[in-house]
Amino acid sequence: MKKHKLPIILMFVSPALLCYLLVFFYPTIRTTFMSFFNIKNIMDGVHKWEFVGLDNYIAIWKSDLFVQSMINFIKIWFFGGIIVFVIAMLMSVILTSGIKGKSFFRAVIYLPNVVSAVAMGTMWIQYVYNPKYGLFKTLFEFLGLENLAAIKWTTPDNIFWAMLIAFNFGMVGYFMLIYISGIERIPATFYEAATLEGANIFVKFYRITLPLLKGVIKTTLVLWTISDVGFFVWSQVFSMLNPVPGTVTPMVYMYQSIFGNNMIVTDRNVGLGATVGVLLMVIVVIVFALTNLLIKEEDVEF
Amino acid sequence: MKRKNVTVLLVVVMCCLNVFVGCQKQKSEEVKTVSKNDVSDKKILEYWTMWNETEIQGQVIKEAVDDFMKINPDIQVNITWCGREIRKTLQPALDKKEAVDIWDEDVERVVKNWGDYTLSLDDYVKKPYPTTEGKAYEECINYNLMNLIKVFSDDSTLKAIPYQAYITSFMYNKDHFIDAGITETPKTWEEFLVVCEKLKAKGHTPLTTDDAYADALIGYHLSRIKGYEWVEELVADESKAMWDDEAVLRMAEDYEHLASQGYFSKNIDSNIWPAGQQEVASGDVTMYVNGSWLPNEVLGTTGPDFNWGQFSYPAVKDGVETIGNLNFGSQCYAINKECEYPEEAFRLIAHITTGEWDEKLAASSMGMPSSNDANWPIQLQEAKGVLENATEWNPYGCGISSNIDLAPTIISNFQKLMSGELTAERFIEEMKK
């Protein structure tokens, strides 16, 4: 009987398996392979590749720009993560607490995700942060907060935080929706019972919502890491022609290694870009493993 | 009954569609046959361009190519509008020996990256063409630009033909100069300081830049003191000991002085491109070091009547460079050495880069014409003199950006120096970290 099932299993699994092998597995293996070579052009045939062993892995850590990009990567992950997760969780709890106009607020908070990141970034740079007529300047002046109104958001010292605020503004809605769907899966009877026992809103959050959302939080942590790994468009919008220390990310460094600098003709090394790709992949795998290890889901069925 | 009606209606619609599609197919086959017969006798040139069809340069080039085909009915030119993606797509196409007869891109890329694939054009430029009025082609084109291509080439042969040239220099608002009573552009740093003071006294902010072009200022200044080769050594020095050189301190002090005198825009450290160039375009600031493409780039803000002027970065006292040391370059055309019809390909290039179409391209894009006797756009009249007086070529940023790992740090610290946040000494300390 089991033997008879095998062809059927293979038949059903093969389309997905083939897709996975072609779209994910093969590029992963090839990129890893490329990271051991010096390759001038991304379309160069294998016969043009020059084997360099681990040189690329050593070279990236000697590059000040790459080290800076990793610092930015960690700062985005940590500080951005705290800001996004706290606000998204707060919003989702408020919106699932039975307030009026839930659909409206949910749509408004999610709206930035619908707009292209390039348009959003341009809006932040050219309008919100503009030191002459920007939203922040006029708003703070209106409120009489002259010190805040005088802040130049896009100076070398401030541009990282300016970019992070703009990026987080868009991401809150995305994670809020995920949390809302997680909270709505928790049976209302749990909360009713807690209310009858005299629990206030904070107790209900810490004793019911948070423990039962562990699985969702685990998923969002991995999703957040993946979006941080792919952090590219916002960097490009906040420094269009050349990377600057405040905006450079590993993905920008990888792009520059593969396709060269925008302003001048420089040597390219696709292998170096591949090395960055491998490193980022390893980071995602580690975060995934760590979250599985550290965040244990409650053994509760609901 | 209703279902029956719907079925009948569907059948009728399908029949109509069938007839329509059938006719279309027959028609297109007819067209195909005709055009195939037409093209079979023609010499075909495949031209890959860095422009998009919607860009002004693309539009003029398309008109020029159409005109060329009208004059030469035996030649068919097929244009592939690659846009800047040509930087990624051309190399594999050449490797796979795809039919690409002519291409255009920035001079350095064309000669340095793809020089091995190009035909040497030394013999072709010695001949006259219909648009050169009996003169040899090389006599009609700017000498500096033609020479630059030979300098870039490994074997000193002419690998490409320049067009859409540019210089990197001070771009300024002439009306502000007139208002401040400045009659001559500055040639030395001392004269430059006088110009800044006069502008400030008349209420004009003399200087601005953007994060993307700040390297041109620091690069030019260091290069004027020590030469661009030294600047390239400076940024390549892993020990960073060269940042202790007097030249760096002198540059930093000169810029600290500009900052202390209030010659820079208040937003100099927060200008993300194109905010700084918009300050010039809107008349808030007078001078900005940029490519001569700037008038075209900010045309939407300035309108066509903005009074543009250009001058070369001033020389500094006891420096090794003069104002004749200039960063200039161009887009350029190359012909594939595998091209079946090189004579015809060069004739097309000559058609676009000399005579009527050269002037049209320059006028439409507010760019520089290729031929010596062409009329220059009014916005670039002074740039003509700057290019003609160029004695030596400097790379973009005079070498300051040649270490792409270090360039972001240099620009970031330089922005702080210009804003007054860093003193000259602190700038050097930051660079040595």
Side-chain angles (χ1 to χ4, degrees), chain B residues 302-341:
Chain B
T302 59
D305 300 325
F306 192 93
N307 202 358
W308 283 107
Q310 297 82 30
F311 62 88
S312 186
Y313 196 93
V316 298
K317 198 177 173 190
D318 301 326
V320 299
E321 283 190 355
T322 68
I323 55 170
N325 292 73
L326 183 73
N327 168 242
F328 59 92
S330 71
Q331 316 308 325
C332 64
Y333 280 110
I335 298 176
N336 194 332
K337 62 183 176 190
E338 310 278 338
C339 176
E340 201 179 340
Y341 307 110

Side-chain angles (χ1 to χ4, degrees), chain B residues 38-293:
Chain B
D38 275 357
V39 171
S40 61
D41 302 331
K42 290 187 176 183
K43 297 170 183 171
I44 296 175
L45 293 174
E46 295 291 342
Y47 166 27
W48 283 31
T49 177
M50 63 170 285
W51 305 109
N52 291 303
E53 201 170 0
T54 47
E55 285 177 285
I56 192 72
Q57 288 90 343
Q59 290 168 14
V60 177
I61 286 170
K62 188 174 186 305
E63 283 178 47
V65 168
D66 288 343
D67 185 53
F68 178 78
M69 288 195 289
K70 215 166 156 186
I71 298 167
N72 301 279
D74 60 326
I75 301 172
Q76 168 81 34
V77 183
N78 298 326
I79 306 177
T80 303
W81 303 100
C82 302
R84 307 313 177 266
E85 290 295 302
I86 196 170
R87 291 168 196 174
K88 299 169 204 162
T89 55
L90 183 66
Q91 177 88 44
L94 293 171
D95 283 340
K96 286 179 188 166
K97 304 221 178 275
E98 271 185 49
V100 185
D101 297 302
I102 307 167
W103 61 86
D104 59 21
E105 231 284 295
D106 176 78
V107 59
E108 276 194 78
R109 281 193 189 87
V110 169
V111 182
K112 290 180 180 173
N113 291 3
W114 304 313
D116 292 342
Y117 302 87
T118 60
L119 182 73
S120 172
L121 302 173
D122 291 277
D123 294 338
Y124 294 86
V125 295
K126 291 190 166 47
K127 299 176 195 168
Y129 291 87
T131 46
T132 60
E133 294 172 346
K135 287 188 272 186
Y137 180 84
E138 65 183 355
E139 290 172 32
C140 302
I141 302 294
N142 183 292
Y143 168 78
N144 276 329
L145 294 172
M146 293 279 265
N147 193 46
L148 182 62
I149 290 169
K150 287 190 180 179
V151 169
F152 283 153
S153 170
D154 288 340
D155 52 7
S156 298
T157 59
L158 188 68
K159 298 272 190 191
I161 295 297
Y163 80 106
Q164 282 276 297
Y166 64 82
I167 60 168
T168 307
S169 67
F170 268 106
M171 308 291 294
Y172 71 97
N173 184 331
K174 267 172 143 174
D175 288 339
H176 287 188
F177 269 42
I178 294 165
D179 184 44
I182 303 161
T183 51
E184 264 192 71
T185 54
K187 293 179 179 59
T188 64
W189 191 250
E190 289 70 30
E191 288 174 11
F192 180 73
L193 292 177
V194 173
V195 164
C196 288
E197 190 52 41
K198 282 184 177 175
L199 286 165
K200 191 186 163 195
K202 269 288 177 179
H204 301 297
T205 305
L207 283 159
T208 193
T209 191
D210 282 307
D211 61 330
Y213 289 101
D215 52 353
L217 288 169
I218 179 173
Y220 257 130
H221 206 85
L222 284 171
S223 186
R224 289 289 187 254
I225 301 171
K226 288 274 213 174
Y228 79 81
E229 291 94 344
W230 184 86
V231 180
E232 286 175 343
E233 279 175 38
L234 170 75
V235 296
D237 174 25
E238 286 184 8
S239 72
K240 295 191 175 175
M242 283 179 76
W243 288 91
D244 282 326
D245 194 284
E246 268 184 26
V248 180
L249 181 65
R250 185 174 163 194
M251 177 282 301
E253 282 176 345
D254 284 345
Y255 271 87
E256 187 185 350
H257 176 70
L258 292 179
S260 66
Q261 295 300 305
Y263 294 154
F264 288 119
S265 156
K266 281 178 189 167
N267 304 321
I268 193 96
D269 55 342
S270 63
N271 275 343
I272 302 291
W273 181 85
Q277 63 185 45
Q278 285 300 330
E279 288 182 314
V280 179
S282 57
D284 292 340
V285 181
T286 307
M287 298 181 285
Y288 180 107
V289 172
N290 198 279
S292 49
W293 54 76

Side-chain angles (χ1 to χ4, degrees), chain A residues 48-103:
Chain A
K48 285 189 177 178
W49 299 6
E50 179 199 345
F51 183 73
V52 292
L54 291 171
D55 282 5
N56 287 333
Y57 287 89
I58 297 164
I60 53 171
W61 292 108
K62 281 186 177 171
S63 158
D64 290 346
L65 194 62
F66 179 73
V67 172
Q68 181 61 47
S69 78
M70 285 305 290
I71 292 170
N72 288 346
F73 170 79
I74 293 165
K75 278 161 73 179
I76 294 167
W77 188 83
F78 184 72
F79 294 113
I82 290 174
I83 296 167
V84 167
F85 287 173
V86 168
I87 298 176
M89 185 69 84
L90 190 68
M91 295 286 182
S92 55
V93 170
I94 293 170
L95 289 179
T96 49
S97 65
I99 62 158
K100 279 185 181 176
K102 174 188 160 188
S103 302

Side-chain angles (χ1 to χ4, degrees), chain B residues 344-358:
Chain B
E344 288 74 7
F346 196 90
R347 217 186 312 149
L348 170 66
I349 293 171
H351 186 75
I352 298 171
T353 55
T354 52
E356 175 195 359
W357 292 104
D358 179 36

Side-chain angles (χ1 to χ4, degrees), chain A residues 41 43-44 48 63-65 125-126 131-132 152 154-157 159 238-245 253 255-256 259 261-266 268, chain B residues 87-88 91-92 95-96 106 108-109 113 117 211-213 215 240 266-267 269-270 272-274 284 396 401-402 404-405 408-409 411-412 415-416 421:
Chain A
N41 195 303
M43 300 299 282
D44 279 353
K48 285 189 177 178
S63 158
D64 290 346
L65 194 62
I125 286 241
Q126 303 297 341
K132 276 167 76 180
K152 289 196 272 184
T154 51
T155 59
D157 289 337
I159 195 160
F238 272 73
S239 49
M240 280 189 205
L241 299 180
N242 280 328
V244 296
Y253 183 85
Y255 182 87
Q256 188 164 268
F259 297 110
N261 185 272
N262 257 326
M263 308 290 279
I264 54 170
V265 178
T266 53
R268 289 170 291 173
Chain B
R87 291 168 196 174
K88 299 169 204 162
Q91 177 88 44
D95 283 340
K96 286 179 188 166
D106 176 78
E108 276 194 78
R109 281 193 189 87
N113 291 3
Y117 302 87
D211 61 330
Y213 289 101
D215 52 353
K240 295 191 175 175
K266 281 178 189 167
N267 304 321
D269 55 342
S270 63
I272 302 291
W273 181 85
D284 292 340
Y396 176 76
S401 304
S402 54
I404 56 173
D405 265 359
T409 308
I411 292 169
S412 174
Q415 281 179 298
K416 292 179 187 173
E421 190 185 328

